[in-house]
Every structure is written in structure tokens, then in C-alpha cells.
Amino acid sequence: MLYYTQILFVKPGQETVFHAFEDHVLPLLDQYGGELLYRVRPPQSVVIATTLGLPYELHLVTFPTKADFEAYRDDPQRQQYLALKNQSIDRVLLIEGVLL
């Protein structure tokens, strides 16, 4: 299993657009063996230190293989909604890892 952590920074005022993007693409995870383990919106009060700024959301997703992740990422149905992602997301930090 591979684990992907996304630290998502949403453009101010674009939260509704971001939610619409997620509403369309998160249900596709299952088709590729993906599972959303955590989806968190951290309040400022839980951040002890950062040089990145406060993220809007944190995701932890798992896929059986990197090929499964890439197939999800490149899914034609998901690609239809990339304009929503591009409109709403300022930046994303994606971290790939394994269970130790």
C-alpha cells in the first residue's frame, strides 16, 4: 500500500468551488482501490508552527500501487473537473509514503 498526504491551500473565497471539485472527484477513488482515510480542516488553534501557512484541508489517501494512484489522477472523468481545481486551489503539497 502507498499513502498520499495532500496539504491543500485554497484560494480565499473559493471554498465552494473547491467543495464542488471534491464532490465530483472523491467518489472516483473507489474505482482505483483508493480510500480516503482522513479529510481534516485544521483550525489555526491546532497549528503549533508552520512556514507554509494554514492549510484549508489535509487528506490522507491510500492506493494499492502507484499505478492505481496515477490511474485515478489521470481518470478522464476526474480530468473534466480540473478547471474547478485550478480555480480554487492555490497550491498543494503531495507527499508519498509507506506504512512503517
Side-chain angles (χ1 to χ4, degrees), residues 3-6 35-40 58-62 95:
Y3 294 83
Y4 293 89
T5 302
Q6 284 190 315
E35 182 180 4
L36 180 63
L37 301 176
Y38 290 104
R39 181 179 176 195
V40 179
L58 305 170
H59 293 181
L60 179 58
V61 180
T62 187
I95 304 163

Side-chain angles (χ1 to χ4, degrees), residues 19-93:
H19 298 168
F21 171 69
E22 288 200 322
D23 288 347
H24 289 292
V25 302
L26 289 178
L28 300 173
L29 286 168
D30 195 46
Q31 294 177 29
Y32 299 96
E35 182 180 4
L36 180 63
L37 301 176
Y38 290 104
R39 181 179 176 195
V40 179
R41 289 193 190 131
Q44 181 71 45
S45 63
V46 301
V47 178
I48 297 167
T50 180
T51 60
L52 296 175
L54 181 67
Y56 183 73
E57 277 191 3
L58 305 170
H59 293 181
L60 179 58
V61 180
T62 187
F63 286 92
T65 67
K66 186 168 187 161
D68 293 318
F69 166 72
E70 291 171 344
Y72 165 75
R73 180 195 65 199
D74 299 336
D75 179 277
Q77 187 175 351
R78 184 179 178 279
Q79 296 288 316
Q80 292 177 2
Y81 300 105
L82 288 185
L84 296 173
K85 177 184 177 189
N86 294 336
Q87 179 183 335
S88 62
I89 295 180
D90 181 47
R91 65 191 191 279
V92 175
L93 177 60

